[in-house]
Amino acid sequence: MTPSVRRRPLQVQWRRSLAAGSVAVVLVAGIGAVSAGAAQAAPARTLSAAPVAADTGARITAETKVGANAVDITIASPSLGKSVKARILLPKNWTRGAQATWPVLYAFHGGQDDYTSWARNTDIEAWALKYNVIVVMPEGDDGSYTDWYNYGKGGTPKWETFHTAEVRQLLERNYGAGALRAAIGNSSGGAGAISYAARHPGLFKYAASLSGILSMRSIGMPAMLMFTNASNGQDPFAIWGIPWADDANWAAHDPYSLAPKLRGTGIFFSSGTTGRPGPGDPDVAPWDIGLLSEIAIGANTREFKKRMDALNIPHTAHIYGDGRHNWPAWIREAGFIWPTLMQSIGARKV
């Protein structure tokens, strides 16, 4: 979380009890940095030909061209109970209705951000245009990349179903997305990428996490995650359940617990450790939340690496020193792993 993150009022009765854990408050993680707004998009238009729906009935209701090779789509999602957007970057040789298929990269955003985050903060469109790849950046809201537990009742929002089933099927049935997929995410989006890869073996050839929490049940982490979501105006107990009381559901979504299921998937994860600014970071006070949060995430990342080493699961880790929980660090890490992501899904340079 950085000073540019949009702050939302707490809307839950018990927020003060969570705030009592002041250390957890300071070390809160899973928040993506937000920069200047995106360029004004053209008005959305209804598609002339009826797009093919997903198995759940999710459907594309509008498409807006926002760049030479970029479109925003509006998805009416039964899994979410509302309509949200996704941005799609299409390869140069893409044509509607073609019989060919293209490899796909999913780019997941962090908390208090949206589907435009990667496009606003990086040169992902330029990176993508160098390859014959489709890049999809779906809305993740503050959904924590999971189907919400809702005190054991289930129901909406089902963010995992939205991403892994609805968005996937809509891309495959309407934009020529193929079966070779990879995922990258920053902050909570990074945790989502690794969690999805473990919970859906074979879905992704490669998954990359940039400063994501990869050991959710470590000491202090449940409090951090709950406070983060409470600060977003949510009931955090509704997401994965109550820690300890609903530990089985927490474990079922925890990359550390799910690590054995990552065997066979290419894995990359990175984070800072020192709590000091890195190259390109703003000049902020030592107690800046973006610096302090990366200390906690760095320790968490080291714990996850030990788990992967113990299981003898191949992976690439870059646990660096200086670097804030913000885009300058994530741009460097994304640039480093981008060629590997492209190679893993057979995306050729053009």
Side-chain angles (χ1 to χ4, degrees), residues 191-265:
I194 302 297
S195 175
Y196 287 173
R199 286 175 55 80
H200 303 271
L203 179 64
F204 299 122
K205 295 294 184 181
Y206 208 102
S209 169
L210 317 179
S211 298
I213 292 178
L214 303 180
S215 185
M216 292 168 49
R217 298 154 71 223
S218 297
I219 295 174
M221 288 298 147
M224 288 169 57
L225 289 165
M226 287 189 300
F227 187 86
T228 300
N229 288 299
S231 70
N232 292 334
Q234 299 166 338
D235 175 356
F237 296 142
I239 299 175
W240 295 291
I242 301 170
W244 304 288
D246 298 307
D247 185 63
N249 193 58
W250 277 75
H253 295 84
D254 178 16
Y256 183 96
S257 303
L258 295 168
K261 295 186 178 181
L262 292 172
R263 194 178 303 277
T265 300

Side-chain angles (χ1 to χ4, degrees), residues 29 33 40 51 54-55 73 84 87 121 134 150 152 166 185 233-234 243 302 331:
Q40 195 76 11
D55 291 347
I73 60 173
V84 296
R87 178 158 297 181
N121 293 288
I134 293 174
N150 288 323
E166 291 181 344
Q234 299 166 338
R302 283 175 168 154
I331 290 170

Side-chain angles (χ1 to χ4, degrees), residues 91 101-105 132-135 176-182 342 345-348:
T101 60
W102 287 265
V104 187
L105 175 70
N132 68 323
V133 65
I134 293 174
V135 176
L180 298 175
R181 312 175 200 91
M342 296 296 100
I345 54 178
R348 302 184 311 274

Side-chain angles (χ1 to χ4, degrees), residues 321-333:
D322 298 347
R324 190 170 180 256
H325 194 75
N326 61 186
W327 280 104
W330 299 332
I331 290 170
R332 291 192 299 273
E333 298 302 301

Side-chain angles (χ1 to χ4, degrees), residues 51-317:
V52 181
D55 291 347
T56 63
R59 56 195 178 89
I60 299 170
T61 58
E63 179 188 87
T64 304
K65 187 171 183 179
V66 294
N69 295 82
V71 295
D72 284 355
I73 60 173
T74 302
I75 301 171
S77 168
S79 294
L80 302 180
K82 62 181 181 180
S83 291
V84 296
K85 292 186 177 183
R87 178 158 297 181
I88 306 171
L89 306 181
L90 299 166
K92 293 178 181 178
N93 61 346
W94 183 88
T95 55
R96 194 181 301 276
Q99 295 301 308
T101 60
W102 287 265
V104 187
L105 175 70
Y106 285 75
F108 298 124
H109 67 75
Q112 293 189 347
D113 220 324
D114 61 30
Y115 73 101
T116 67
S117 176
W118 276 87
R120 283 185 287 110
N121 293 288
T122 77
D123 292 326
I124 194 169
E125 188 166 358
W127 301 344
L129 280 177
K130 296 178 182 178
Y131 294 84
N132 68 323
V133 65
I134 293 174
V135 176
V136 57
M137 297 168 278
E139 181 60 57
D141 203 356
D142 291 311
S144 297
Y145 294 90
T146 185
D147 289 359
W148 283 28
Y149 189 63
N150 288 323
Y151 297 90
K153 297 178 182 179
T156 59
K158 298 180 180 180
W159 285 101
E160 182 174 352
T161 299
F162 173 68
H163 291 138
T164 63
E166 291 181 344
V167 173
R168 176 179 61 81
Q169 291 171 1
L170 291 173
L171 267 287
E172 290 172 355
R173 296 171 185 181
N174 299 282
Y175 290 92
L180 298 175
R181 312 175 200 91
I184 187 172
N186 65 292
S187 197
S188 58
I194 302 297
S195 175
Y196 287 173
R199 286 175 55 80
H200 303 271
L203 179 64
F204 299 122
K205 295 294 184 181
Y206 208 102
S209 169
L210 317 179
S211 298
I213 292 178
L214 303 180
S215 185
M216 292 168 49
R217 298 154 71 223
S218 297
I219 295 174
M221 288 298 147
M224 288 169 57
L225 289 165
M226 287 189 300
F227 187 86
T228 300
N229 288 299
S231 70
N232 292 334
Q234 299 166 338
D235 175 356
F237 296 142
I239 299 175
W240 295 291
I242 301 170
W244 304 288
D246 298 307
D247 185 63
N249 193 58
W250 277 75
H253 295 84
D254 178 16
Y256 183 96
S257 303
L258 295 168
K261 295 186 178 181
L262 292 172
R263 194 178 303 277
T265 300
I267 298 295
F268 172 81
F269 50 92
S270 66
S271 73
T273 56
T274 64
R276 294 192 298 263
D281 289 343
D283 184 15
V284 293
W287 52 86
D288 170 75
I289 190 65
L291 298 177
L292 295 175
S293 62
E294 200 70 4
I295 297 174
I297 294 172
N300 192 263
T301 302
R302 283 175 168 154
E303 189 170 343
F304 182 72
K305 178 168 173 47
K306 289 180 181 178
R307 170 76 161 160
M308 296 289 279
D309 288 339
L311 292 169
N312 197 28
I313 296 177
H315 62 276
T316 301

